[in-house]
Amino acid sequence: MFFVDSCQHFFRPLTGKYREQVVECLRLLYERLYTAKADYGESLNREQILEIFSEALTRAPQLDSDGEGGAESEGRFRGLREQSIWVLNSLVEFGWLEKLVDSATLTVSYPFSRRGRLFTQPLVELNSTRVRTRHRNTRNTLNALDAFASRGEIYDLIDAWEYSERIVADFTDMIAELEERKREMVREVEAHILVQQATDEFFSFMESRFQPDLAIRLSADSVEKHRDSISRVIGQIRRKDSAQKAEWEQRLRQQLPELFVEGQSVLWLMLDTIEDRMRRACEVKLPALRQALQGFTKRAEIIIRQLSYLQSTTEGAFTDLCQELGTSDRRDALLASLGDDLASIQLRLFDPKHTQLWQRSRRQPVNTLVEDEAPIDDESQRGIVLQQLLDQAFNFNSSDLKTYLANALGSGQRVHSRDLPLSNARDLLAMSHALEAAAVSQDGTGPFVEVTFSGETASNDYFQSFDEYTLELKNRD
């Protein structure tokens, strides 16, 4: 049970005419204890907490009491210190703060209780201007799954499972925030009708929320970008060794007994849940977020245009005509003539209740055509074999050229190109590549072949005319 012991009336400090001041006290104390303003080397004593509460009470307004019995027990205070003491005693009494006494130094500290800290955190984040990188949850899911696939630590899988849950929740929070800001903009315009204020609030949102979070969520860190990578890592995990998966299953059942159901795998349940959350985020939440953002920007554009027209200092032709009509002596006759001209016009509007827009989801084309495997006929098979033989016949590498030159030189050191032996087709092919001998032999070590042009031409049974070269085997210095 939640409402037990000191928490039986846990939310009573947040009722009555001082509720906004109590919330501000909790926010300021939370910032001094758990944010960048905190000094973790020391705990706050009673006087420091009273100073914090006095500052918070000065900031926050006092509201009208609309509860039953709330204002009667609160009474009136002679100063900020007396009210700060009352707030501190109330928070301790109803379970928001704890009173701890150091037995060695006999000093008293007032830290948050576990329930008090958990309930104060959303109050702080609600009005916080700090940018929270909530779009990181998609990448955190992918990184945790990668770590689990490589190291096999089940806590990485549990982290990925928790991060994936926050992905859908973040989309829901962002959509709700856009709708709330749209309604707030309309209320502000109805109350003040200030075009400059509406414009400033719109661009402030675009700079502080859209640029650091929404733009990244819709483009660079979109769930669509990482969905395939997450599916690929999950596939790798599913293909792991059966003994390894059995060990993971046993450890997961020990760590998460509430997820265990007889005849069902906890490992498979977590992997399927992550894939399902990514699917819902891509196919449902991301289009809904884009639609909410489009509605917000359209509403802001309409409001700014209307206010700009109403606040415009320059009068147009339409305004001049209206003023001229108001001061004209023939006003009734002109309006009657205008009414006769407009009598034939019919204006029909669609009923929004009977109008519904359907969004078609793009489906990946699937080739379901079944083709029979046709056997290769004899003529085609013969052509393939002949082509392979022709390719092999004219295939000549450096190793074959070295062998041919070694046989041509024999025990000598020099040979002319006209004296190269031609006993078969392979020798004829090697002779045509004789000029490559120098390049083939330049391997950096051992003897090499030096090719020298003699300036003469020669001929044989296969070549009508070719330049004559001298191939000489030399040792390196």
Side-chain angles (χ1 to χ4, degrees):
M1 295 179 61
F2 180 83
F3 295 100
V4 292
D5 299 333
S6 61
C7 297
Q8 291 184 2
H9 304 283
F10 184 75
F11 296 103
R12 179 171 294 180
L14 304 184
T15 60
K17 61 182 179 181
Y18 300 116
R19 56 187 180 274
E20 185 64 29
Q21 293 179 325
V22 174
V23 169
E24 187 64 26
C25 291
L26 290 171
R27 288 175 182 164
L28 197 57
L29 181 60
Y30 186 93
E31 291 179 357
R32 290 291 301 273
L33 289 178
Y34 301 109
T35 63
K37 301 178 182 179
D39 185 5
Y40 297 101
E42 61 177 357
S43 58
L44 299 178
N45 55 32
R46 178 183 175 87
E47 292 299 325
Q48 291 174 322
I49 293 179
L50 293 179
E51 292 178 2
I52 295 173
F53 284 179
S54 299
E55 179 183 353
L57 293 173
T58 306
R59 294 182 182 179
Q62 176 180 327
L63 305 179
D64 295 334
S65 177
D66 54 356
E68 298 180 358
E72 298 179 357
S73 60
E74 292 171 356
R76 301 176 62 87
F77 305 105
R78 291 175 293 181
L80 289 177
R81 181 176 178 82
E82 183 176 346
Q83 187 176 359
S84 301
I85 295 174
W86 173 81
V87 173
L88 178 60
N89 293 335
S90 298
L91 294 177
V92 173
E93 178 183 359
F94 298 112
W96 289 81
L97 302 180
E98 295 178 349
K99 182 178 181 180
L100 301 180
V101 181
D102 190 352
S103 59
T105 60
L106 298 181
T107 56
V108 181
S109 60
Y110 295 88
F112 272 98
S113 63
R114 180 176 177 272
R115 295 175 179 175
R117 180 177 59 82
L118 293 177
F119 278 92
T120 306
Q121 183 177 359
L123 297 177
V124 175
E125 294 179 351
L126 187 62
N127 292 338
S128 177
T129 58
R130 178 174 59 91
V131 176
R132 293 174 294 167
T133 56
R134 295 185 294 182
H135 55 80
R136 290 282 306 183
N137 286 327
T138 305
R139 278 181 283 182
N140 290 339
T141 302
L142 177 58
N143 295 336
L145 284 174
D146 277 330
F148 175 69
S150 58
R151 296 183 300 185
E153 183 61 48
I154 62 170
Y155 293 104
D156 293 329
L157 178 60
I158 297 176
D159 291 340
W161 189 56
E162 293 179 353
Y163 285 134
S164 65
E165 182 180 6
R166 299 174 192 171
I167 294 174
V168 180
D170 288 345
F171 276 112
T172 304
D173 293 342
M174 185 59 65
I175 294 172
E177 180 181 352
L178 286 173
E179 295 296 332
E180 181 181 356
R181 284 187 175 272
K182 184 167 64 175
R183 292 191 297 266
E184 183 179 354
M185 181 181 295
V186 175
R187 288 195 302 266
E188 290 292 335
V189 170
E190 291 177 351
H192 302 288
I193 316 183
L194 298 177
V195 61
Q196 185 62 37
Q197 182 177 354
T199 306
D200 293 342
E201 290 181 357
F202 173 73
F203 285 106
S204 175
F205 169 78
M206 298 300 289
E207 293 176 0
S208 62
R209 295 292 293 118
F210 178 79
Q211 289 291 343
D213 190 40
L214 262 177
I216 298 177
R217 188 189 299 275
L218 296 175
S219 58
D221 197 70
S222 174
V223 289
E224 295 176 345
K225 176 182 177 181
H226 299 288
R227 181 182 181 181
D228 293 337
S229 300
I230 291 176
S231 299
R232 174 180 53 80
V233 177
I234 291 178
Q236 294 177 0
I237 296 173
R238 294 181 187 274
R239 292 189 298 268
K240 291 290 185 179
D241 184 71
S242 300
Q244 181 68 47
K245 290 187 289 187
E247 181 183 355
W248 290 340
E249 179 69 24
Q250 183 179 3
R251 296 179 59 188
L252 286 173
R253 292 182 179 182
Q254 294 175 354
Q255 294 293 331
L256 303 172
E258 65 275 6
L259 297 181
F260 173 66
V261 178
E262 189 66 31
Q264 185 177 5
S265 171
V266 179
L267 175 62
W268 249 240
L269 173 63
M270 298 180 72
L271 295 178
D272 292 340
T273 303
I274 293 175
E275 286 185 325
D276 182 66
R277 288 168 179 171
M278 293 301 301
R279 181 186 60 80
R280 285 186 294 168
C282 291
E283 299 178 1
V284 180
K285 290 299 182 180
L286 186 59
L289 176 61
R290 289 171 177 164
Q291 185 177 2
L293 180 61
Q294 184 179 9
F296 172 75
T297 52
K298 282 187 176 180
R299 179 62 60 86
E301 180 184 2
I302 293 172
I303 291 175
I304 293 174
R305 285 179 181 272
Q306 290 177 346
L307 294 180
S308 298
Y309 177 76
L310 294 176
Q311 299 279 334
S312 177
T313 57
T314 60
E315 299 178 354
F318 181 75
T319 306
D320 296 338
L321 290 176
C322 290
Q323 292 181 355
E324 184 180 355
L325 180 63
T327 58
S328 177
D329 297 335
R330 302 177 57 251
R331 178 177 55 189
D332 296 337
L334 291 175
L335 290 176
S337 176
L338 183 62
D340 295 337
D341 295 337
L342 296 177
S344 60
I345 297 178
Q346 294 182 357
L347 179 63
R348 297 179 179 180
L349 300 177
F350 287 99
D351 187 358
K353 294 183 179 179
H354 297 83
T355 303
Q356 185 175 5
L357 297 179
W358 296 93
Q359 294 182 353
R360 295 183 178 180
S361 58
R362 294 183 301 175
R363 297 182 179 180
Q364 296 294 334
V366 179
N367 186 9
T368 59
L369 180 62
V370 179
E371 298 180 356
D372 296 333
E373 184 178 358
I376 302 176
D377 56 359
D378 296 339
E379 188 65 26
S380 300
Q381 201 166 16
R382 187 181 301 108
I384 295 174
V385 174
L386 289 177
Q387 186 63 37
Q388 291 178 352
L389 292 176
L390 289 175
D391 294 339
Q392 293 176 1
F394 291 96
N395 185 17
F396 196 80
N397 52 36
S398 59
S399 177
D400 296 337
L401 182 58
K402 287 182 179 181
T403 304
Y404 174 75
L405 290 177
N407 296 331
L409 289 172
S411 59
Q413 298 292 325
R414 179 185 299 180
V415 65
H416 294 280
S417 58
R418 66 174 181 270
D419 298 330
L420 291 174
L422 298 176
S423 58
N424 51 39
R426 301 293 295 178
D427 292 347
L428 180 62
L429 188 62
M431 178 188 175
S432 64
H433 291 80
L435 296 183
E436 301 178 11
V440 171
S441 61
Q442 300 296 330
D443 54 359
T445 60
F448 66 98
V449 177
E450 183 181 31
V451 180
T452 305
F453 178 53
S454 62
E456 300 178 359
T457 59
S459 62
N460 54 23
D461 297 338
Y462 305 99
F463 296 99
Q464 184 177 0
S465 177
F466 59 88
D467 295 330
E468 185 177 359
Y469 291 87
T470 301
L471 288 77
E472 184 177 2
L473 184 63
K474 291 186 177 182
N475 296 321
R476 298 183 185 275
D477 295 336

